[in-house]
Amino acid sequence: MADDTATGDTLTPDSEHRGLVALLPAAARDYALLARFDRPIGWWLLYWPCAWGLLLTGAPWSMQWPLLLWTLLGAIAMRGAGCVYNDIVDAELDRQVARTASRPVASGRVSKGAAWIWLLILAAVGLVVLLQLRWQAQLVALGSLALVAAYPFMKRITGWPQAWLGLVFTWGVPTGWVALRSDGLEVMAALYAGAMLWCIGYDTIYALQDREDDSLVGIRSSALTLGSKVKAGVVGFYAVAVALWALAFWLLRPDWLALLALVPVAAHLGWQALSLDPSDAANPLARFRSNRFAGLLLALACFVVGNA
């Protein structure tokens, strides 16, 4: 496995915006890396469930689009805060895994005290976004805090930490839905359950990169739990996700034509799962990253069905 960050000036192997982070002053660069600003895939994956919840409500567009922008800002800030918290909690484990050993906190380039201050700054941005929601959605959003706090410990006590991540990382679905509607909770529940399975699937793909190191240091993951059946497992997660999304669409609009909106995202997820090659290090990362496009495809489907 390649080092995540060899030095304060070297970015992660899967960084997508090397130039932007490299332009920052050296003193600020580690904080950007700590919040994973060099890897926008994380906040896209956090954002898309928010967008799905908002778009499927069918609320007036004048109510949807401001919240789409606010939740994008919230996703960037809170994904960063979550990464900082995770790195504080996991510093000792990260030092034992090649891909994460050189992260800012694990390497000692950023102290835990400074990391906590950075976390609070990011959380303050999240609070500004929270205040843009009506109070019912604020309560729903705050309900995720306990799940977020517990997540870093799941990899120590269960072989399925990805299932817990599914609960946490797709919480934007109920938050977005309740921000605009108080009814149709069965639609929201089906959409959320599908999002959870989608998250388990893509994070299982991501965990393939760390299987060797994880098994050595005792970190658990669905990729290790599934073993040689990991590809079949991802196929299953994605298939059930699409079925649950179809149920959500049907409950909202019982029309077979509405289900056709899911064909593009179903085809994309099918390609991901069937072309997955755990033996090729580059293959899982490419499949994982492509979920930003899968999220966009489902967002478009939710817009069509919710606003038709």
Side-chain angles (χ1 to χ4, degrees):
M1 295 290 180
D3 282 351
D4 197 39
T5 49
T7 70
D9 297 324
T10 303
L11 305 189
T12 57
D14 50 350
S15 174
E16 299 177 62
H17 286 224
R18 294 174 181 268
L20 293 178
V21 174
L23 291 174
L24 293 173
R29 197 171 303 142
D30 277 329
Y31 291 92
L33 293 172
L34 188 55
R36 310 291 198 277
F37 288 159
D38 59 315
R39 287 183 282 172
I41 179 62
W43 52 258
W44 277 119
L45 295 177
L46 187 61
Y47 171 67
W48 284 127
C50 302
W52 303 342
L54 292 167
L55 292 169
L56 195 60
T57 62
W61 181 241
S62 61
M63 297 173 64
Q64 290 185 32
W65 74 262
L67 291 182
L68 287 169
L69 296 178
W70 278 114
T71 53
L72 176 58
L73 175 61
I76 294 171
M78 296 313 296
R79 186 265 184 151
C83 289
V84 175
Y85 174 70
N86 191 78
D87 281 11
I88 292 170
V89 173
D90 280 352
E92 296 303 322
L93 286 176
D94 284 347
R95 292 187 184 105
Q96 302 176 60
V97 177
R99 189 177 60 84
T100 59
S102 297
R103 284 180 174 171
V105 175
S107 66
R109 297 194 310 275
V110 173
S111 70
K112 286 188 176 182
W116 277 112
I117 293 172
W118 180 219
L119 187 155
L120 291 174
I121 293 171
L122 292 167
V125 176
L127 177 60
V128 172
V129 174
L130 183 70
L131 295 175
Q132 310 310 309
L133 308 177
R134 63 177 187 152
W135 69 266
Q136 296 93 332
Q138 290 176 5
L139 292 179
V140 172
L142 291 172
S144 69
L145 294 181
L147 297 174
V148 172
Y151 169 67
F153 303 99
M154 292 299 110
K155 67 188 72 174
R156 298 165 169 84
I157 62 177
T158 175
W160 291 95
Q162 281 69 26
W164 196 270
L165 184 70
L167 290 170
V168 173
F169 228 65
T170 60
W171 199 261
V173 169
T175 301
W177 184 274
V178 175
L180 294 175
R181 287 185 67 163
S182 299
D183 62 338
L185 298 183
E186 71 283 0
V187 178
M188 179 203 73
L191 184 66
Y192 176 49
M196 289 169 54
L197 269 294
W198 171 66
C199 180
I200 295 171
Y202 72 62
D203 204 57
T204 296
I205 292 174
Y206 187 75
L208 287 170
Q209 301 174 94
D210 294 332
R211 282 195 298 183
E212 295 178 8
D213 286 337
D214 285 351
S215 64
L216 288 173
V217 302
I219 296 175
R220 303 178 184 183
S221 74
S222 55
L224 286 173
T225 300
L226 289 167
S228 61
K229 299 179 180 178
V230 68
K231 187 171 180 176
V234 172
V235 170
F237 296 140
Y238 282 169
V240 177
V242 172
L244 287 165
W245 292 333
L247 174 61
F249 284 13
W250 186 263
L251 290 171
L252 181 71
R253 192 176 301 280
D255 183 342
W256 289 107
L257 288 176
L259 301 185
L260 292 179
L262 286 171
V263 170
V265 68
H268 178 78
L269 293 179
W271 164 78
Q272 272 191 47
L274 295 176
S275 65
L276 181 64
D277 182 2
S279 65
D280 178 1
N283 179 283
L285 182 59
R287 301 309 180 270
F288 167 74
R289 280 182 180 171
S290 73
N291 278 284
R292 97 184 83 196
F293 183 59
L296 172 61
L297 292 175
L298 186 58
L300 294 174
C302 288
F303 175 76
V304 168
V305 174
N307 298 275

